[in-house]
Tab-separated table of all heavy atoms in Angstrom:
chain	number	residue	atom	x	y	z
A	20	SER	N	0.830	-1.208	0.000
A	20	SER	CA	0.000	0.000	0.000
A	20	SER	C	0.864	1.259	0.000
A	20	SER	O	0.510	2.267	-0.623
A	20	SER	CB	-0.924	0.001	1.221
A	20	SER	OG	-1.829	-1.079	1.162
A	21	LEU	N	1.995	1.197	0.709
A	21	LEU	CA	2.885	2.354	0.763
A	21	LEU	C	3.482	2.646	-0.610
A	21	LEU	O	3.619	3.822	-0.999
A	21	LEU	CB	4.004	2.098	1.775
A	21	LEU	CG	4.986	3.254	2.023
A	21	LEU	CD1	4.231	4.484	2.542
A	21	LEU	CD2	6.071	2.836	3.010
A	22	GLU	N	3.801	1.603	-1.362
A	22	GLU	CA	4.422	1.785	-2.679
A	22	GLU	C	3.472	2.403	-3.702
A	22	GLU	O	3.929	2.998	-4.686
A	22	GLU	CB	4.945	0.446	-3.192
A	22	GLU	CG	6.168	-0.056	-2.439
A	22	GLU	CD	6.555	-1.474	-2.811
A	22	GLU	OE1	5.667	-2.249	-3.244
A	22	GLU	OE2	7.744	-1.821	-2.653
A	23	ILE	N	2.166	2.252	-3.495
A	23	ILE	CA	1.201	2.846	-4.439
A	23	ILE	C	0.465	4.034	-3.809
A	23	ILE	O	-0.612	4.416	-4.260
A	23	ILE	CB	0.187	1.799	-4.945
A	23	ILE	CG1	-0.610	1.192	-3.768
A	23	ILE	CG2	0.878	0.729	-5.761
A	23	ILE	CD1	-1.808	0.373	-4.213
A	24	LYS	N	1.067	4.622	-2.787
A	24	LYS	CA	0.405	5.712	-2.063
A	24	LYS	C	0.070	6.882	-2.986
A	24	LYS	O	-1.057	7.403	-2.982
A	24	LYS	CB	1.303	6.185	-0.921
A	24	LYS	CG	0.676	7.265	-0.049
A	24	LYS	CD	1.591	7.618	1.122
A	24	LYS	CE	0.958	8.682	2.007
A	24	LYS	NZ	1.849	9.001	3.165
A	25	ASN	N	1.032	7.320	-3.815
A	25	ASN	CA	0.779	8.453	-4.703
A	25	ASN	C	-0.253	8.115	-5.761
A	25	ASN	O	-1.138	8.932	-6.072
A	25	ASN	CB	2.085	8.900	-5.361
A	25	ASN	CG	3.030	9.565	-4.372
A	25	ASN	OD1	2.594	10.125	-3.364
A	25	ASN	ND2	4.323	9.505	-4.649
A	26	GLU	N	-0.156	6.916	-6.338
A	26	GLU	CA	-1.132	6.488	-7.342
A	26	GLU	C	-2.538	6.421	-6.743
A	26	GLU	O	-3.525	6.773	-7.400
A	26	GLU	CB	-0.751	5.122	-7.916
A	26	GLU	CG	0.470	5.131	-8.812
A	26	GLU	CD	1.756	4.978	-8.033
A	26	GLU	OE1	1.724	5.104	-6.789
A	26	GLU	OE2	2.807	4.725	-8.673
A	27	THR	N	-2.620	6.004	-5.474
A	27	THR	CA	-3.919	5.912	-4.807
A	27	THR	C	-4.530	7.292	-4.601
A	27	THR	O	-5.740	7.487	-4.789
A	27	THR	CB	-3.771	5.193	-3.447
A	27	THR	OG1	-3.270	3.864	-3.673
A	27	THR	CG2	-5.107	5.111	-2.732
A	28	LYS	N	-3.712	8.263	-4.233
A	28	LYS	CA	-4.218	9.629	-4.049
A	28	LYS	C	-4.764	10.192	-5.362
A	28	LYS	O	-5.824	10.831	-5.388
A	28	LYS	CB	-3.110	10.528	-3.501
A	28	LYS	CG	-2.740	10.247	-2.053
A	28	LYS	CD	-1.634	11.192	-1.581
A	28	LYS	CE	-1.307	10.958	-0.118
A	28	LYS	NZ	-0.225	11.854	0.355
A	29	ILE	N	-4.043	9.953	-6.446
A	29	ILE	CA	-4.509	10.416	-7.756
A	29	ILE	C	-5.796	9.696	-8.145
A	29	ILE	O	-6.744	10.316	-8.644
A	29	ILE	CB	-3.417	10.185	-8.825
A	29	ILE	CG1	-2.194	11.059	-8.521
A	29	ILE	CG2	-3.955	10.468	-10.225
A	29	ILE	CD1	-0.975	10.725	-9.368
A	30	PHE	N	-5.827	8.394	-7.906
A	30	PHE	CA	-7.002	7.574	-8.215
A	30	PHE	C	-8.229	8.080	-7.468
A	30	PHE	O	-9.323	8.190	-8.044
A	30	PHE	CB	-6.690	6.127	-7.842
A	30	PHE	CG	-7.794	5.144	-8.116
A	30	PHE	CD1	-8.427	5.094	-9.344
A	30	PHE	CD2	-8.184	4.244	-7.131
A	30	PHE	CE1	-9.437	4.165	-9.590
A	30	PHE	CE2	-9.186	3.314	-7.368
A	30	PHE	CZ	-9.816	3.280	-8.602
A	31	ARG	N	-8.058	8.427	-6.205
A	31	ARG	CA	-9.189	8.913	-5.417
A	31	ARG	C	-9.745	10.213	-6.000
A	31	ARG	O	-10.972	10.402	-6.065
A	31	ARG	CB	-8.769	9.121	-3.957
A	31	ARG	CG	-9.934	9.559	-3.061
A	31	ARG	CD	-9.557	9.539	-1.592
A	31	ARG	NE	-10.671	10.001	-0.774
A	31	ARG	CZ	-11.688	9.249	-0.376
A	31	ARG	NH1	-11.741	7.970	-0.741
A	31	ARG	NH2	-12.664	9.746	0.369
A	32	GLN	N	-8.867	11.100	-6.425
A	32	GLN	CA	-9.333	12.337	-7.042
A	32	GLN	C	-10.080	12.053	-8.346
A	32	GLN	O	-11.103	12.685	-8.644
A	32	GLN	CB	-8.148	13.271	-7.309
A	32	GLN	CG	-7.516	13.858	-6.060
A	32	GLN	CD	-8.518	14.644	-5.211
A	32	GLN	OE1	-9.318	15.418	-5.726
A	32	GLN	NE2	-8.473	14.430	-3.902
A	33	GLU	N	-9.588	11.104	-9.120
A	33	GLU	CA	-10.260	10.740	-10.372
A	33	GLU	C	-11.634	10.129	-10.104
A	33	GLU	O	-12.595	10.401	-10.836
A	33	GLU	CB	-9.394	9.751	-11.161
A	33	GLU	CG	-8.108	10.361	-11.694
A	33	GLU	CD	-7.195	9.323	-12.325
A	33	GLU	OE1	-7.362	8.119	-12.034
A	33	GLU	OE2	-6.309	9.714	-13.094
A	34	LEU	N	-11.730	9.310	-9.069
A	34	LEU	CA	-13.005	8.663	-8.755
A	34	LEU	C	-14.107	9.677	-8.473
A	34	LEU	O	-15.280	9.413	-8.721
A	34	LEU	CB	-12.836	7.729	-7.545
A	34	LEU	CG	-12.112	6.409	-7.790
A	34	LEU	CD1	-11.841	5.699	-6.461
A	34	LEU	CD2	-12.921	5.501	-8.707
A	35	ARG	N	-13.745	10.833	-7.961
A	35	ARG	CA	-14.741	11.865	-7.675
A	35	ARG	C	-15.434	12.360	-8.946
A	35	ARG	O	-16.524	12.926	-8.886
A	35	ARG	CB	-14.094	13.049	-6.952
A	35	ARG	CG	-13.563	12.725	-5.565
A	35	ARG	CD	-12.910	13.952	-4.945
A	35	ARG	NE	-12.294	13.652	-3.666
A	35	ARG	CZ	-12.927	13.639	-2.490
A	35	ARG	NH1	-14.222	13.919	-2.470
A	35	ARG	NH2	-12.296	13.357	-1.368
A	36	THR	N	-14.792	12.170	-10.084
A	36	THR	CA	-15.326	12.692	-11.353
A	36	THR	C	-15.981	11.615	-12.199
A	36	THR	O	-16.556	11.923	-13.250
A	36	THR	CB	-14.202	13.341	-12.177
A	36	THR	OG1	-13.268	12.329	-12.597
A	36	THR	CG2	-13.459	14.381	-11.357
A	37	PHE	N	-15.896	10.365	-11.788
A	37	PHE	CA	-16.412	9.266	-12.611
A	37	PHE	C	-17.890	9.015	-12.328
A	37	PHE	O	-18.271	8.647	-11.214
A	37	PHE	CB	-15.636	7.967	-12.344
A	37	PHE	CG	-14.199	7.996	-12.797
A	37	PHE	CD1	-13.258	7.152	-12.219
A	37	PHE	CD2	-13.784	8.863	-13.787
A	37	PHE	CE1	-11.940	7.166	-12.633
A	37	PHE	CE2	-12.455	8.883	-14.206
A	37	PHE	CZ	-11.531	8.038	-13.633
A	38	ASN	N	-18.719	9.191	-13.340
A	38	ASN	CA	-20.127	8.814	-13.262
A	38	ASN	C	-20.420	7.787	-14.353
A	38	ASN	O	-19.678	7.686	-15.331
A	38	ASN	CB	-21.033	10.040	-13.461
A	38	ASN	CG	-20.901	11.044	-12.329
A	38	ASN	OD1	-20.948	10.684	-11.165
A	38	ASN	ND2	-20.710	12.309	-12.679
A	39	TYR	N	-21.482	7.035	-14.177
A	39	TYR	CA	-21.898	6.127	-15.245
A	39	TYR	C	-22.270	6.947	-16.474
A	39	TYR	O	-22.961	7.973	-16.357
A	39	TYR	CB	-23.093	5.279	-14.810
A	39	TYR	CG	-22.784	4.260	-13.739
A	39	TYR	CD1	-23.455	4.277	-12.522
A	39	TYR	CD2	-21.837	3.264	-13.948
A	39	TYR	CE1	-23.192	3.343	-11.539
A	39	TYR	CE2	-21.560	2.323	-12.966
A	39	TYR	CZ	-22.241	2.364	-11.762
A	39	TYR	OH	-21.971	1.432	-10.786
A	40	GLU	N	-21.826	6.511	-17.643
A	40	GLU	CA	-22.132	7.217	-18.883
A	40	GLU	C	-23.386	6.617	-19.502
A	40	GLU	O	-23.380	5.477	-19.951
A	40	GLU	CB	-20.955	7.110	-19.861
A	40	GLU	CG	-19.654	7.709	-19.357
A	40	GLU	CD	-19.721	9.223	-19.239
A	40	GLU	OE1	-20.522	9.829	-19.986
A	40	GLU	OE2	-18.983	9.794	-18.410
A	41	LEU	N	-24.475	7.381	-19.525
A	41	LEU	CA	-25.697	6.884	-20.147
A	41	LEU	C	-26.505	8.018	-20.726
A	41	LEU	O	-26.469	9.152	-20.238
A	41	LEU	CB	-26.543	6.093	-19.145
A	41	LEU	CG	-27.219	6.837	-17.999
A	41	LEU	CD1	-28.482	6.089	-17.591
A	41	LEU	CD2	-26.298	6.947	-16.798
A	42	GLU	N	-27.207	7.707	-21.803
A	42	GLU	CA	-28.140	8.639	-22.420
A	42	GLU	C	-29.546	8.264	-22.011
A	42	GLU	O	-29.840	7.095	-21.734
A	42	GLU	CB	-28.007	8.589	-23.945
A	42	GLU	CG	-26.652	9.038	-24.467
A	42	GLU	CD	-26.585	8.966	-25.987
A	42	GLU	OE1	-27.624	8.650	-26.609
A	42	GLU	OE2	-25.503	9.203	-26.534
A	43	ASN	N	-30.418	9.250	-21.994
A	43	ASN	CA	-31.808	8.979	-21.659
A	43	ASN	C	-32.472	8.199	-22.797
A	43	ASN	O	-32.500	8.659	-23.942
A	43	ASN	CB	-32.561	10.284	-21.412
A	43	ASN	CG	-33.982	10.030	-20.952
A	43	ASN	OD1	-34.203	9.177	-20.094
A	43	ASN	ND2	-34.938	10.744	-21.515
A	44	LEU	N	-32.995	7.016	-22.496
A	44	LEU	CA	-33.647	6.179	-23.498
A	44	LEU	C	-35.153	6.069	-23.236
A	44	LEU	O	-35.826	5.227	-23.829
A	44	LEU	CB	-33.014	4.780	-23.515
A	44	LEU	CG	-31.509	4.721	-23.828
A	44	LEU	CD1	-31.021	3.273	-23.811
A	44	LEU	CD2	-31.210	5.375	-25.180
A	45	VAL	N	-35.663	6.925	-22.351
A	45	VAL	CA	-37.083	6.877	-21.975
A	45	VAL	C	-37.744	8.196	-22.361
A	45	VAL	O	-37.342	9.265	-21.891
A	45	VAL	CB	-37.232	6.618	-20.463
A	45	VAL	CG1	-38.692	6.701	-20.049
A	45	VAL	CG2	-36.665	5.240	-20.106
A	46	ASP	N	-38.748	8.133	-23.241
A	46	ASP	CA	-39.436	9.331	-23.719
A	46	ASP	C	-40.648	9.706	-22.876
A	46	ASP	O	-41.036	10.869	-22.798
A	46	ASP	CB	-39.875	9.148	-25.177
A	46	ASP	CG	-38.686	9.013	-26.116
A	46	ASP	OD1	-37.653	9.655	-25.841
A	46	ASP	OD2	-38.784	8.255	-27.104
A	47	GLU	N	-41.277	8.727	-22.255
A	47	GLU	CA	-42.459	8.974	-21.441
A	47	GLU	C	-42.383	8.123	-20.188
A	47	GLU	O	-41.634	7.128	-20.145
A	47	GLU	CB	-43.728	8.652	-22.227
A	47	GLU	CG	-43.775	7.227	-22.764
A	47	GLU	CD	-44.987	7.006	-23.653
A	47	GLU	OE1	-45.380	7.930	-24.384
A	47	GLU	OE2	-45.527	5.881	-23.593
A	48	PRO	N	-43.114	8.484	-19.139
A	48	PRO	CA	-43.010	7.747	-17.877
A	48	PRO	C	-43.285	6.255	-18.031
A	48	PRO	O	-44.329	5.845	-18.557
A	48	PRO	CB	-44.071	8.410	-17.003
A	48	PRO	CG	-44.203	9.783	-17.560
A	48	PRO	CD	-44.024	9.640	-19.035
């Protein structure tokens, strides 16, 4: 864990921006 400490910090910041990518496929309720 210590050896990937910097990569983990960067990864955590990236995770804050990751959302599922989807388009709306529903036209009516």
